[in-house]
Amino acid sequence: MPNVTLVEAVNMALAWEMDHDPNVVLLGEDIATNGGVFRATVGLKERFGYKRVMDTPLAETLIAGTAIGMATQGLRPVAEFQFMGFIYAGMEQLVSHAARLRNRTRGRITCPAVFRAPFGGGIHAPEHHSESTEALFAHIPGLRVVIPSSPQRAYGLLLAAIRNPDPVVFLEPKRIYRAVSQPVEDTGEALPLDTCFTLREGDDVTLISWGASIHETLQAADRLAEQGISAEVIDVATLSPLDRDTLLCSVAKTGRCVIIHEACRNGGVGAEIAASIAEAAFLDLQAPVVRVTGYDTVMPYYRLENFYLPQVEDIVAAVEQVIAL
Amino acid sequence: MKSRYDFHVDSLRYLNDQGLPLDALPTWAEESERVLAAYRNMVLTRTFDQKAIALQRTGQCGTYPSVLGHEVVGTAIGQCMTPDDVFVPYYRDQAAHILRGVKLSELLLYWGGDERGSAWQDCPHDLPIAVPIATQCCHAVGIAAAMRIRDEHRAVVCCLGDGATSKGDFLESLNLAGAWHLPVVFMVINNQWAISTPRSLQSGTETIAQKAIAGGIPGHLVDGNDYFAVTDQLLQALERARAGKGASLIEAVTYRLGDHTTADDATRYRSAEELKQAWERDGIKRLQRYLHHRALWSPDQEQQLQTDCKATVELAVADYLAVPPAPATDMLDYLFAKLPKALEPQRARLVVRHGQEDV
């Protein structure tokens, strides 16, 4: 079994599905000959031809809308936005069409498309290349928002996203595109959507996160273990629709919860999770739910980005705070 | 200095305002049954339109966009497309929808505030009505690209208004249609008004047809009240598309004879004189005069047609009004292929609050 990085796992999943489903096509900027600016699609044009791996003009509204049009015909387009910072031009297409087509035609027309975008900070990228605005999409009924946090989950969740009969916004944490490798079996086996993954079991506190922040969260759990605090770590993975059951069960067990996300705090997905816990598990809580997040400001340019991103120390401190209560 | 690229925009018109041919008509115009069928569809569309407005005025239908002045273009579209082609409409294409198999009762159901009005039982493949301006252009090129990927000899017709040509969606789609040689025809129905904004404020270009040049595809100007001109140009564009020769843009010049919608009052921004002049160019009247000239139509036939159209529309209205309300749970049941577990509590709440049909 090969050891692969997260971005290589994306490539593997795309290749597997293209090989097994002739309806899968890729479109985006610089994805064909260049293989994508992060090389997520490298080698696929050579293997599947330009007809199925298409370089588009530089126009994000068009990329979103074209993918939707293709999807209405039963193709399974996987559209790449080069960076999440450029996805907003496609927002009207995602909100007003991709998310609504099945509902507004009562199932007559559907949109089985995947919209991929690298997102998040921490790689010293140019301005507009480091934001985490997943909450914008999670707020839209009809869109699935999926974020992998490891090569195995990138592979399995992307396969599931492509096979899903409805639109999926698939956000790839580019800070960990190449940060870790792990063995990924190329068997075409998908992982379930709409399901949280419990990465580490524990009894004293539930740590909830997704994307790149999972790695700081796991490191924090290691450090807390040294202090005798047993932390459960949950990767939300599908931000919408949200698997509340897994989160609530864990909080019922631990009685304490810290939510970690890179996105700014105000109106973030962490707020939805905290509210859900308050509504359904209030009596299980032994301390208030605490969030460790980015600040409510514009994502800083890279000289300040590490001051913005949640660090292991921040997570440990938050846990110490809720344990003390 | 050398001229690198020069362009011209051709303009097509066969009938004058009195319905007399200005030139030899295309050969297909000899198929009198086709022409008569077109005329009947135009009259049916107008009859339907008047009734839909009346339903809105009496509280039996929601906000509705009148198709008055668009009947010729829509009818030509409906006739020229084959069942295998895909129609990508905006929201003033009633005449085309009728010929594509959409039921009048479905159109009423849609504007009557019910999603089931887009479920089109006898027209499974056309895209639903698009309300957000110009967004459908991107879908049209996506569908055309799917046809190309699968080596199919089919085509897409995408309708939009003059206002929509100001939006990036249109220009980006036009650009892709040229770059990828896609089998799509953009039918710009220039009715001179985008709600209250006149064509002159929409763009500084002399024609909308010439915007095609920037996309690398041919652009044609046609008299949108001339059934023969619209049909002939569209037939050529569709043949070109199906033969793999690429996209076209047709600017059909007409006039929005009604308000933008039933929520609009066009007297606020345009003169009675302008409207009066536009009525003199009405395409239905023009085709009727042509049919009379050719002795293909009589006052008795006209009377019969009016009676038939009214009866057809009344039946559709009865069907529409008889549709029982959908269960409240429909709002969740069609969001995804399968209701996600996360939404089960909300569905249960709807059932408690409003009841449900068995699913």
Side-chain angles (χ1 to χ4, degrees), chain A residues 196 234 242-252, chain B residues 341-342 344-345:
Chain A
C196 298
I234 298 180
L242 186 61
D243 170 17
R244 289 180 178 79
D245 292 352
T246 300
L247 303 174
L248 292 171
C249 280
S250 176
V251 173
Chain B
K341 198 150 181 293
E344 285 172 5

Side-chain angles (χ1 to χ4, degrees), chain A residues 5-169:
Chain A
T5 62
L6 196 152
V7 70
E8 287 165 348
V10 167
N11 185 280
M12 273 170 65
L14 292 171
W16 174 279
E17 205 58 12
M18 291 189 82
D19 203 23
H20 290 79
D21 181 353
N23 285 319
V24 178
V25 297
L26 313 183
L27 67 157
E29 295 159 9
D30 309 302
I31 67 158
T33 303
N34 195 36
V37 293
F38 286 103
R39 308 288 176 258
T41 53
V42 78
L44 299 179
K45 183 197 86 169
E46 290 72 14
R47 192 164 158 198
F48 298 103
Y50 196 73
K51 228 174 181 179
R52 293 179 67 196
V53 184
M54 295 163 270
D55 279 327
T56 63
L58 209 167
E60 283 82 8
T61 301
L62 178 80
I63 292 170
T66 301
I68 292 168
M70 290 173 170
T72 66
Q73 301 307 295
L75 289 180
R76 300 256 166 175
V78 182
E80 177 177 300
F81 294 93
Q82 204 157 72
F83 289 87
M84 191 188 212
F86 310 131
I87 203 171
Y88 311 116
M91 202 66 175
E92 183 180 23
Q93 288 290 345
L94 295 178
V95 174
S96 298
H97 295 294
R100 297 173 67 115
L101 267 172
R102 177 189 292 280
N103 182 67
R104 67 185 295 262
T105 62
R106 288 302 185 248
R108 183 173 67 85
I109 303 280
T110 61
C111 185
V114 177
F115 304 92
R116 295 179 44 239
F119 84 113
I123 65 161
H124 289 207
E127 220 187 339
H128 299 284
H129 287 65
S130 299
E131 290 71 17
S132 296
T133 51
E134 63 271 22
L136 296 179
F137 303 92
H139 187 65
I140 305 302
L143 292 182
R144 269 194 171 73
V145 182
V146 177
I147 299 178
S149 66
S150 73
Q152 285 171 6
R153 282 187 292 283
Y155 180 80
L157 291 173
L158 182 53
L159 286 175
I162 300 171
R163 292 169 194 171
N164 189 275
D166 291 304
V168 177
V169 176

Side-chain angles (χ1 to χ4, degrees), chain B residues 337-348:
Chain B
K338 183 173 180 295
L339 187 77
K341 198 150 181 293
L343 292 179
E344 285 172 5
Q346 295 187 23
R347 191 180 190 282

Side-chain angles (χ1 to χ4, degrees), chain B residues 74-201:
Chain B
T75 298
I77 292 168
Q79 281 195 331
C80 293
M81 293 181 72
T82 67
D84 279 348
D85 295 332
V86 176
F87 183 45
V88 180
Y90 72 137
Y91 50 80
R92 218 185 289 282
D93 295 312
Q94 291 90 322
H97 290 310
I98 295 170
L99 290 175
R100 298 286 295 163
V102 179
K103 295 176 192 158
L104 296 178
S105 57
E106 289 172 328
L107 291 174
L108 289 171
L109 199 56
Y110 175 73
W111 294 107
D114 193 321
E115 287 87 350
R116 291 173 295 177
S118 295
W120 299 355
Q121 288 175 8
D122 300 330
C123 182
H125 304 304
D126 289 353
L127 286 207
I129 287 168
V131 171
I133 304 301
T135 52
Q136 73 279 9
C137 299
C138 301
H139 310 156
V141 293
I143 295 169
M147 293 170 176
R148 277 291 302 275
I149 290 166
R150 291 167 164 161
D151 291 321
E152 296 167 337
H153 299 283
R154 303 159 66 201
V156 181
V157 175
C158 175
C159 270
L160 60 150
D162 42 305
T165 63
S166 299
K167 279 198 70 185
D169 307 53
F170 162 68
L171 297 162
E172 291 182 18
S173 303
L174 195 68
N175 187 53
L176 188 77
W180 287 7
H181 307 287
L182 295 175
V184 58
V185 180
F186 296 101
M187 178 64 85
V188 180
I189 304 173
N190 172 7
N191 69 15
Q192 314 302 328
W193 292 93
I195 305 187
S196 69
T197 306
R199 163 65 184 85
S200 59
L201 289 180

Side-chain angles (χ1 to χ4, degrees), chain A residues 120-126 129-131 174-175 262 294-295 298-311:
Chain A
I123 65 161
H124 289 207
H129 287 65
S130 299
E131 290 71 17
K174 61 182 179 288
R175 181 155 61 90
E262 198 174 308
Y295 294 85
V298 173
M299 178 69 193
Y301 206 178
Y302 62 77
R303 289 194 183 191
L304 291 181
E305 74 177 339
N306 284 339
F307 296 114
Y308 171 93
L309 297 172
Q311 305 290 328

